């Protein structure tokens, strides 16, 4: 009986492509690469052993993403450190970040992400990546069917003081008109509330079919937006002071009905179980197709600094 080789990102080293172990060598290689074809075939590409310095990274990322997106409408805490270059999500080191496709809750999401390791953790800190088709296949039929109609994301963004992110941070502006212009083309419903708060509801799919391959992949962030992902004690504490729909972020099925906690826990756990860990050394680089693959973060010790850029 034939066996199927488990999926894993394609790893490329200087000796594999006959080039110098340097940022200049990698940049020369990237200019000759059909990146789109490589990503469709492999879904994720990792360049190891090039020892790219932070001063070289901008030139390298220019070769990969000549036009980069700002992290607008993003819900995770990050620091902008360059020309639309950001730190990876700044959650406490002891926590796992579950698998997700970047900005899958937004109408406009990037097709590619670039990750660069400026400083590797002392231990742990891998970036797990998951084949979205394998993630979908790992779910129970009951869960896949329940999600078939899609989901509805809710955000409550304060105006500068409050729990969670402000709308100014989220949209990188303090101009209400600019926020409204951005949201107008997204299919979202929004409402300005008292105390300069902004409420947004955004419909989204549970899966998408990649037009290049015809592959259906899991594509939503319901497990990260659901109160169950906070853990029992945190969820209970928040429920005691506010309704779920008033939390900084929450999610329901597209028709507004609640998503059972056991469904989102299954989605979270099976995504992580199906993922392949990409361990980091200083100077490593990874590019992923943000539709065909999801990504996350394993816990770590010490200092870890991974930078991210994205583009359509």
């Amino acid at each position: 009986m034939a066996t199927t080789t488990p999926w894993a990102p394609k790893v490329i080293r200087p000796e594999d492509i006959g080039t110098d172990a340097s940022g200049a060598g990698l940049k020369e290689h990237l200019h000759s690469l059909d990146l789109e074809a490589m990503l469709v075939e492999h879904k994720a590409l990792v360049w190891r052993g090039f020892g790219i310095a932070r001063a070289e990274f901008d030139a390298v990322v220019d070769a990969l993403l000549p036009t980069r997106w700002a992290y607008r409408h993003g819900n995770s805490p990050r620091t902008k450190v360059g020309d639309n270059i950001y730190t990876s999500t700044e959650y406490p080191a002891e926590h796992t970040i579950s698998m997700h496709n970047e900005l899958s809750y937004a109408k406009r999401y990037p097709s590619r992400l670039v990750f660069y390791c400026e400083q590797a953790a002392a231990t742990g800190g891998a970036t797990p990546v998951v084949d979205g088709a394998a993630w979908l296949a790992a779910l129970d039929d009951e869960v896949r069917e329940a999600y078939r109609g899609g989901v509805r994301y809710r955000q409550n963004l304060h105006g500068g003081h409050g729990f969670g992110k402000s709308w100014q941070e989220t949209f990188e502006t303090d101009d209400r008109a600019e926020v409204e212009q951005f949201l107008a083309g997204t299919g979202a419903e929004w409402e300005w509330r008292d105390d300069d708060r902004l409420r947004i509801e955004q419909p989204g799919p549970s899966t998408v079919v990649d037009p290049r391959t015809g592959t259906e992949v899991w594509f939503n962030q319901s497990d990260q937006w659901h109160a169950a992902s906070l853990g029992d004690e945190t969820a209970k504490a928040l429920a005691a002071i506010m309704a779920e729909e008033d939390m900084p972020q929450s999610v329901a099925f597209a028709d507004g009905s609640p998503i059972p906690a056991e469904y989102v826990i299954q989605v979270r756990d099976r995504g992580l179980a199906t993922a392949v860990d990409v361990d980091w050394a200083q100077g490593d680089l990874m590019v992923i197709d943000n539709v065909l693959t999801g990504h996350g973060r394993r816990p770590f010790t010490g200092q870890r600094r991974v930078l991210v850029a994205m583009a359509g």
Side-chain angles (χ1 to χ4, degrees):
M1 180 183 295
T3 58
T4 302
T5 302
W7 173 82
K10 180 175 179 59
V11 177
I12 303 167
R13 297 177 174 86
E15 57 268 27
D16 299 331
I17 55 177
T19 191
D20 295 335
S22 66
L26 177 55
K27 185 179 176 183
E28 182 179 355
H29 161 68
L30 293 175
H31 281 306
S32 65
L33 189 69
D34 187 342
L35 184 62
E36 177 66 11
M38 291 280 284
L39 284 174
V40 169
E41 180 180 1
H42 300 288
K43 304 180 179 71
L45 307 170
V46 179
W47 286 271
R48 293 196 187 282
F50 289 88
I52 304 163
R54 175 65 182 90
E56 298 175 300
F57 174 60
D58 287 50
V60 171
V61 79
D62 282 344
L64 290 164
L65 304 178
T67 304
R68 294 187 288 277
W69 286 10
Y71 185 60
R72 300 188 74 189
H73 204 177
N75 71 321
S76 63
R78 302 174 185 268
T79 302
K80 193 170 187 176
V81 296
D83 180 12
N84 287 340
I85 297 172
Y86 300 83
T87 58
S88 57
T89 300
E90 296 172 351
Y91 282 158
E94 65 272 21
H95 294 313
T96 296
I97 298 176
S98 62
M99 309 310 297
H100 61 286
N101 305 82
E102 200 64 51
L103 289 165
S104 61
Y105 51 84
K107 180 72 171 180
R108 181 176 181 258
Y109 50 81
S111 62
R112 299 175 185 174
L113 306 179
V114 175
F115 297 83
Y116 163 70
C117 180
E118 184 176 0
Q119 182 177 0
T123 64
T127 295
V129 287
V130 64
D131 180 334
W135 190 2
L136 176 62
L139 303 176
D140 291 350
D141 291 343
E142 176 186 354
V143 173
R144 288 197 298 267
E145 186 57 35
Y147 272 91
R148 188 63 62 187
V151 297
R152 174 170 287 267
Y153 302 99
R154 302 185 183 109
Q155 284 178 288
N156 291 290
L157 305 172
H158 62 78
H161 302 283
F163 186 53
K165 290 186 74 174
S166 70
W167 61 263
Q168 294 93 332
E169 291 175 294
T170 300
F171 294 99
E172 296 190 3
T173 181
D174 57 5
D175 185 340
R176 282 192 177 198
E178 191 174 337
V179 173
E180 292 179 358
Q181 183 178 19
F182 178 90
L183 291 173
T186 66
E189 302 170 9
W190 73 90
E191 175 188 6
W192 293 103
R193 295 189 160 188
D194 295 340
D195 299 325
D196 200 26
R197 293 175 298 150
L198 175 62
R199 180 181 175 86
I200 303 169
E201 292 205 14
Q202 175 78 57
S206 59
T207 67
V208 297
V209 175
D210 179 67
R212 301 160 300 177
T213 63
T215 304
E216 185 179 16
V217 296
W218 188 251
F219 194 82
N220 68 82
Q221 282 174 245
S222 62
D223 62 304
Q224 291 190 335
W225 286 58
H226 197 283
S229 67
L230 300 171
D232 291 343
E233 294 307 313
T234 303
K236 287 178 182 177
L238 282 175
I241 60 174
M242 65 178 67
E244 184 173 346
E245 66 176 19
D246 293 325
M247 292 181 183
Q249 61 187 45
S250 61
V251 65
F253 286 128
D255 63 3
S257 61
I259 302 175
E262 61 269 25
Y263 286 6
V264 297
I265 297 304
Q266 180 182 131
V267 167
R268 181 195 68 191
D269 292 350
R270 294 192 185 174
L272 284 163
T274 308
V276 177
D277 284 353
V278 175
D279 294 309
W280 292 109
Q282 190 281 322
D284 285 352
L285 189 79
M286 177 168 67
V287 180
I288 69 171
D289 187 294
N290 187 47
V291 174
L292 296 175
T293 62
H295 66 281
R297 191 202 70 191
R298 302 293 186 184
F300 64 93
T301 64
Q303 299 298 311
R304 176 188 186 272
R305 187 172 171 90
V306 173
L307 304 184
V308 182
M310 61 194 76

